[in-house]
Amino acid sequence: KSFSAGFTMPVDSALRTLNVEWNRQYDRALELDKWGQMEEARQAYTKLASHIESKSSSAGSKTQRAYVAKLAVCLRMRSNVLRAGDSHGVTLENVSTIKQTLSKVFLEEVV
């Protein structure tokens, strides 16, 4: 799925605040992961996934909530890969790419 460039959802301040906070936490987790700080990155991904799961049930449209829930699953999967020390599964490159979804999920309608 991709994001429509032609339709922008109105974003209320609560959603904007969530989006900013989640992006900040995501950037921190990615930075730790890139530097090879596996345990710290694992904890950061797990914390972000938990925060997303706890707040997303009342945030945005049904479609936006579904995307954010899937994002939380991906973060947990990356956390599990780091915990296991496994190179198979959700990679750093994958979570870097997925980050773009979080940046846009509350700003554009998903089609």
Side-chain angles (χ1 to χ4, degrees), residues 44-97:
Y45 288 129
T46 300
K47 180 179 176 183
L48 176 56
S50 295
H51 193 251
I52 287 172
E53 290 165 346
S54 71
K55 299 289 185 184
S56 66
S57 63
S58 61
S61 70
K62 182 178 179 180
T63 303
Q64 289 166 325
R65 289 190 305 271
Y67 269 83
V68 172
K70 290 175 184 178
L71 174 67
V73 170
C74 291
L75 293 171
R76 288 203 184 277
M77 291 172 69
R78 178 61 183 159
S79 178
N80 290 339
V81 166
L82 292 173
R83 183 185 47 193
D86 194 357
S87 62
H88 302 293
V90 177
T91 66
L92 174 58
E93 183 180 338
N94 296 146
V95 290
S96 294
T97 302

Side-chain angles (χ1 to χ4, degrees), residues 20-38:
V20 168
E21 177 61 22
W22 289 346
N23 275 288
R24 186 189 63 74
Q25 289 180 27
Y26 208 137
D27 288 339
R28 175 76 176 137
L30 284 173
E31 191 68 24
L32 291 165
D33 204 349
K34 287 175 186 175
W35 281 97
Q37 295 174 285
M38 301 307 180

Side-chain angles (χ1 to χ4, degrees), residues 7-22:
F7 183 76
T8 303
M9 296 279 298
V11 180
D12 68 28
S13 62
L15 291 180
R16 188 177 311 277
T17 300
L18 270 180
N19 196 27
V20 168
E21 177 61 22
W22 289 346

